[in-house]
Amino acid sequence: MDWRFGDFTIIDLIAATTNAFNAALLARRPDHYKHFTVVGILLLGVIGGLAGGIARDLLLLQTPVALLNPAYLILALIAAGTALAIDYRSGQALRSGLFQFATSLALPWYAIIGAAEALDAGLPYLAAVLIGVVSATAGRYLVDLTCRVTPKLFIRSEWYVGTTILAAVAYLVCAAGFRLGVWPATLIAFVAAFVFRYAAMLRG
Amino acid sequence: MDWRFGDFTIIDLIAATTNAFNAALLARRPDHYKHFTVVGILLLGVIGGLAGGIARDLLLLQTPVALLNPAYLILALIAAGTALAIDYRSGQALRSGLFQFATSLALPWYAIIGAAEALDAGLPYLAAVLIGVVSATAGRYLVDLTCRVTPKLFIRSEWYVGTTILAAVAYLVCAAGFRLGVWPATLIAFVAAFVFRYAAMLRG
Amino acid sequence: MDWRFGDFTIIDLIAATTNAFNAALLARRPDHYKHFTVVGILLLGVIGGLAGGIARDLLLLQTPVALLNPAYLILALIAAGTALAIDYRSGQALRSGLFQFATSLALPWYAIIGAAEALDAGLPYLAAVLIGVVSATAGRYLVDLTCRVTPKLFIRSEWYVGTTILAAVAYLVCAAGFRLGVWPATLIAFVAAFVFRYAAMLRG
């Protein structure tokens, strides 16, 4: 067991938690909901929260950290449960705004940490961006497939893929180009991607 | 090539065989059948039979044993072929009862062996349960997706996920808690899960 | 970064390029098209082009070469972009014939290189064939799932799976049986599979 919390682990746990929250909200939306049980929605939250990191670790040929450190599964379950509780108690307007906000909030983290770990593993920049995009979109892709909805990745979606590329590239420029530390590079990349995405969504 | 048959391999082959049989039966059911060819149903049997073990091995960063030992593919093909032969020759009532029975029979094995191998690999208990659930449900998940049906995992399904958690936890309690050997722990976990699941299905 | 181009890499790049071209054409066909954006179709091209090789590398427990060598992603994007350009400028009859031709052209490569790498890794022949089939069909499988179409693998499809088995077996017979070099064995296997498949399609 490995309860260590280095910088990468903290960023990774933020990614897992925000994406699990977002996936559980998504599974309750009318176009996605397919008479899921509560267990089903918690599971979809876990898949949406952990799939990105597991895909990244397998591509880098590492044992998935989500298996070594129990904090991942626990936080993903708590986040999905919280989303479910909020969803049951809130009105339609709040839900919709909350979901848009949660998507923008969740999207950049896995792109950043995916690019960061690929860079650390000595992969070329192009592969670091690719791993960032794969990590950031794998969870949503699986949830969409499971809900039998055309995956958002491939359709008109307010710069969904573009945002993940921006986050990964911004991190690489800050960390490899300007030699900033993990946290400054992460925060700059997050703010850039969050603002870009939220603006794209408001413009519709 | 590696034709060895240790305790884990025998349990694993039981898992592969029963799940392949079950997947081929499933692919012939009216809600799942999508004009598949015989080759298609054999393939779905192989996927349903081997996907759980392959997912487990990849998560544990091991070369999938189903690739090293040809017995896996051979038994999965025989099991799927047998299911197809029975399906063609039997009436609707027998088919439906047989399928329910086969599902209960197939479900616990991958949960048990997944938990057992994760325990052996030194992963924390929570990860062992998670790997048990993933191994036990991966095959059915892929077959449901391929047949364009909402995956059973997430909908009302007579304790489908609960049964896999019970099997994995029961094995861990017996093997890590009471220090029972692989076979006693496996049989206790199997009986507990099988009885639980079959009872849940009969009560509907 | 690793820009080396050994024999296996060249065959693998042909596989990635032809499959990416084919996947982008496929995503534009009326039964598959689901209002994808240009970015979506390029992504589907990348998935169709690289998924087979990534699946093979993961099953062989190797870091995916598509991540180490940037040529894979670049060629896949160029191939998908070319397919899109041709698709926009051509009539229905040309498109349909082109797609059939491109499928036959793309199908054998991953089956051959998958069998070749499994042989090199010392796996049994049966596993080499299995890895050949998985590599050759993984990309199309994911694209079909994403487009919410029953995967071609499992339905009447002019010997789709049979062709991949033939290509893998022919390579193994030439390379392991007759001790031919990589290129002669590859070309014999390719011609056998291409002719077989094209003939099967013309006979309908």
Side-chain angles (χ1 to χ4, degrees):
Chain A
M1 201 169 326
D2 179 358
W3 288 90
R4 273 177 305 164
F5 295 98
D7 289 341
F8 277 14
T9 309
I10 294 172
I11 299 170
D12 210 25
L13 285 171
I14 295 172
T17 308
T18 51
N19 279 286
F21 182 83
N22 197 42
L25 280 187
L26 178 65
R28 287 282 307 162
R29 284 168 72 90
D31 56 335
H32 279 72
Y33 187 66
K34 297 284 183 299
H35 304 288
F36 299 126
T37 55
V38 168
V39 171
I41 288 177
L42 293 178
L43 272 176
L44 283 167
V46 169
I47 291 174
L50 303 188
I54 292 175
R56 174 200 66 214
D57 291 341
L58 289 180
L59 288 174
L60 295 174
L61 233 60
Q62 297 166 353
T63 304
V65 284
L67 295 178
L68 300 174
N69 185 336
Y72 285 86
L73 186 56
I74 294 169
L75 284 175
L77 282 171
I78 291 173
T82 307
L84 212 46
I86 292 174
D87 185 79
Y88 279 129
R89 287 176 198 180
S90 60
Q92 181 59 40
L94 173 68
R95 276 209 292 267
S96 181
L98 177 67
F99 177 72
Q100 302 290 26
F101 181 77
T103 300
S104 292
L105 199 67
L107 196 52
W109 296 105
Y110 267 135
I112 291 168
I113 190 74
E117 299 218 354
L119 192 67
D120 245 42
L123 292 187
Y125 295 138
L126 200 59
V129 175
L130 184 62
I131 287 186
V133 173
V134 169
S135 326
T137 56
R140 175 71 188 258
Y141 177 67
L142 283 178
V143 171
D144 282 346
L145 274 190
T146 304
C147 298
R148 297 196 282 136
V149 167
T150 303
K152 194 177 187 59
L153 210 46
F154 304 99
I155 53 176
R156 255 189 93 71
S157 52
E158 299 100 19
W159 295 92
Y160 187 78
V161 176
T163 303
T164 66
I165 295 178
L166 172 64
V169 168
Y171 180 88
L172 292 174
V173 168
C174 292
F178 294 106
R179 306 263 158 215
L180 298 182
V182 171
W183 278 107
T186 297
L187 292 178
I188 290 171
F190 174 76
V191 170
F194 179 80
V195 169
F196 174 75
R197 163 81 178 165
Y198 208 67
M201 285 203 315
L202 292 182
R203 294 183 64 227
Chain B
M1 202 170 324
D2 180 358
W3 288 90
R4 273 177 305 164
F5 294 98
D7 290 342
F8 277 14
T9 309
I10 293 174
I11 299 170
D12 209 25
L13 285 170
I14 295 173
T17 309
T18 52
N19 279 286
F21 182 83
N22 196 44
L25 280 187
L26 178 65
R28 287 283 306 162
R29 286 168 71 91
D31 56 337
H32 278 72
Y33 187 67
K34 296 283 183 300
H35 305 286
F36 300 125
T37 56
V38 168
V39 170
I41 288 176
L42 293 178
L43 271 176
L44 283 168
V46 169
I47 291 174
L50 304 188
I54 291 175
R56 174 201 63 213
D57 291 341
L58 289 180
L59 287 174
L60 296 173
L61 232 61
Q62 296 166 354
T63 303
V65 284
L67 295 178
L68 300 175
N69 185 337
Y72 284 86
L73 185 56
I74 294 169
L75 285 175
L77 283 171
I78 291 173
T82 307
L84 212 46
I86 291 174
D87 186 80
Y88 279 129
R89 287 177 197 179
S90 60
Q92 181 60 41
L94 173 67
R95 276 209 290 269
S96 181
L98 178 67
F99 177 73
Q100 302 289 27
F101 181 77
T103 300
S104 292
L105 200 66
L107 196 52
W109 295 104
Y110 267 135
I112 292 168
I113 190 74
E117 299 218 356
L119 192 66
D120 245 42
L123 292 187
Y125 294 138
L126 200 59
V129 175
L130 184 61
I131 286 186
V133 173
V134 170
S135 324
T137 56
R140 175 71 189 257
Y141 177 68
L142 283 177
V143 172
D144 283 345
L145 275 190
T146 304
C147 297
R148 296 195 283 136
V149 167
T150 302
K152 193 177 188 60
L153 212 46
F154 305 98
I155 53 176
R156 256 189 92 71
S157 52
E158 299 99 19
W159 293 91
Y160 188 77
V161 176
T163 303
T164 66
I165 295 177
L166 172 64
V169 170
Y171 181 88
L172 292 175
V173 168
C174 293
F178 294 108
R179 306 264 157 214
L180 297 183
V182 170
W183 278 107
T186 297
L187 292 178
I188 290 171
F190 174 75
V191 170
F194 180 79
V195 169
F196 174 75
R197 162 80 177 165
Y198 208 66
M201 285 203 314
L202 292 183
R203 294 182 64 226
Chain C
M1 203 170 323
D2 179 357
W3 288 90
R4 274 177 303 165
F5 295 98
D7 290 342
F8 277 15
T9 309
I10 293 173
I11 300 171
D12 210 26
L13 285 171
I14 296 173
T17 309
T18 52
N19 278 286
F21 181 83
N22 197 43
L25 279 187
L26 179 65
R28 287 282 307 162
R29 285 169 71 91
D31 56 336
H32 279 72
Y33 187 66
K34 296 283 183 300
H35 304 286
F36 300 126
T37 54
V38 168
V39 171
I41 288 176
L42 293 178
L43 271 177
L44 283 167
V46 170
I47 290 174
L50 304 188
I54 292 175
R56 174 201 65 215
D57 291 342
L58 290 181
L59 288 174
L60 295 173
L61 232 61
Q62 295 166 355
T63 303
V65 284
L67 295 178
L68 300 176
N69 186 337
Y72 285 85
L73 185 56
I74 294 169
L75 285 175
L77 282 171
I78 291 173
T82 307
L84 212 45
I86 292 175
D87 186 80
Y88 280 128
R89 287 176 199 180
S90 61
Q92 181 60 40
L94 173 68
R95 276 208 291 265
S96 181
L98 177 67
F99 177 72
Q100 302 290 26
F101 181 77
T103 300
S104 292
L105 200 67
L107 197 51
W109 296 104
Y110 267 135
I112 292 168
I113 190 73
E117 298 217 355
L119 192 67
D120 245 42
L123 293 187
Y125 295 139
L126 200 59
V129 175
L130 185 61
I131 287 186
V133 174
V134 169
S135 324
T137 57
R140 175 71 188 257
Y141 177 69
L142 283 177
V143 172
D144 282 345
L145 275 190
T146 303
C147 297
R148 296 195 282 136
V149 168
T150 304
K152 193 177 187 59
L153 210 47
F154 305 98
I155 54 176
R156 254 188 93 70
S157 51
E158 299 101 19
W159 294 91
Y160 188 78
V161 176
T163 303
T164 66
I165 294 177
L166 172 63
V169 169
Y171 181 87
L172 292 174
V173 168
C174 292
F178 295 107
R179 307 261 157 216
L180 297 183
V182 169
W183 279 106
T186 296
L187 292 178
I188 291 171
F190 174 76
V191 170
F194 179 79
V195 169
F196 174 76
R197 161 81 177 165
Y198 209 66
M201 285 202 315
L202 292 182
R203 295 183 62 226

